[in-house]
Amino acid sequence: MGLVNTEQQLAFYGEYHANRVNQWIHITCVPIILWTAMVFVGRLEVMDIPAPWVVAAVYGVFYVLMDPVVGGLYCGILVAMAKTSTQFAKEQDDAMTIAVGVHVVAWILQFIGHGVFEKRAPALLDSFLQSLMLAPFFVFIEVLFMFGFRKDVHNRVQDIVGKRILEFRKSQAAKAN
């Protein structure tokens, strides 16, 4: 594992995403949200570098620090997102309109996932920046876990998540009484 306590980061995010339907909503919507956000800045440059590439670099460095293998794998996805979002923003006349519409729908679907399936407020309400940075990494590693990647890590994270969810439910029940 990397320089950041990945298991604790995954447990933080995981305790808000324990429901399988909500997980699939996020697996679908989180990359869409990141890509459309890159489209929003796709016509901007930072020191002659297209802004989506800067976004991809920031996320990539953070993910490699969290886990060099998973982060390195995700860097390929980030490169594809940066390239396609920059191209889309520059070549599609109504890119912003399309990106805003898709972005909003993806966020709405995630809130439905939390309200209907998870029955818990999203993590971003507790830690906005942490949630925005972790979400793409989390959904990617969740897919890897589904294929049996690092079962030992997945089991440890699931144990932490289970305990935290139990604590959360106890605190909610105490508040209700």
Side-chain angles (χ1 to χ4, degrees):
M1 300 304 265
L3 298 174
V4 177
N5 188 328
T6 305
E7 290 181 23
Q8 288 300 318
Q9 295 295 322
L10 292 172
F12 163 78
Y13 198 81
E15 70 185 281
Y16 294 85
H17 304 91
N19 176 276
R20 198 47 115 185
V21 174
N22 192 37
Q23 286 174 352
W24 278 106
I25 290 170
H26 281 68
I27 287 168
T28 303
C29 291
V30 165
I32 291 169
I33 288 170
L34 180 56
W35 185 83
T36 55
M38 288 180 171
V39 171
F40 297 158
V41 297
R43 294 180 182 171
L44 303 176
E45 292 188 350
V46 178
M47 298 184 329
D48 295 328
I49 301 169
W53 290 92
V54 175
V55 171
V58 169
Y59 275 85
V61 167
F62 181 65
Y63 294 163
V64 168
L65 290 174
M66 283 185 63
D67 184 294
V69 173
V70 177
L73 290 171
Y74 202 75
C75 281
I77 295 169
L78 290 167
V79 166
M81 286 183 167
K83 180 171 178 33
T84 59
S85 63
T86 301
Q87 185 174 359
F88 185 75
K90 289 181 178 180
E91 295 178 7
Q92 184 71 32
D93 291 336
D94 55 352
M96 293 306 149
T97 303
I98 294 168
V100 167
V102 171
H103 194 84
V104 168
V105 168
W107 275 109
I108 289 169
L109 289 171
Q110 287 190 117
F111 280 110
I112 289 170
H114 281 283
V116 174
F117 299 103
E118 198 72 50
K119 298 186 183 1
R120 184 171 185 178
L124 66 89
L125 298 181
D126 288 336
S127 180
F128 185 73
L129 185 60
Q130 185 179 23
S131 296
L132 290 181
M133 287 300 294
L134 277 179
F137 184 89
F138 180 81
V139 299
F140 182 64
I141 204 165
E142 272 299 312
V143 171
L144 294 177
F145 286 156
M146 289 175 191
F147 288 101
F149 180 77
R150 293 191 181 153
K151 286 185 182 198
D152 57 327
V153 173
H154 187 235
N155 290 337
R156 284 194 303 271
V157 169
Q158 288 304 107
D159 287 344
I160 296 168
V161 167
K163 290 173 186 171
R164 289 183 183 177
I165 289 173
L166 186 60
E167 289 171 16
F168 172 76
R169 288 183 181 152
K170 284 181 182 177
S171 72
Q172 292 300 100
K175 287 179 186 177
N177 293 328

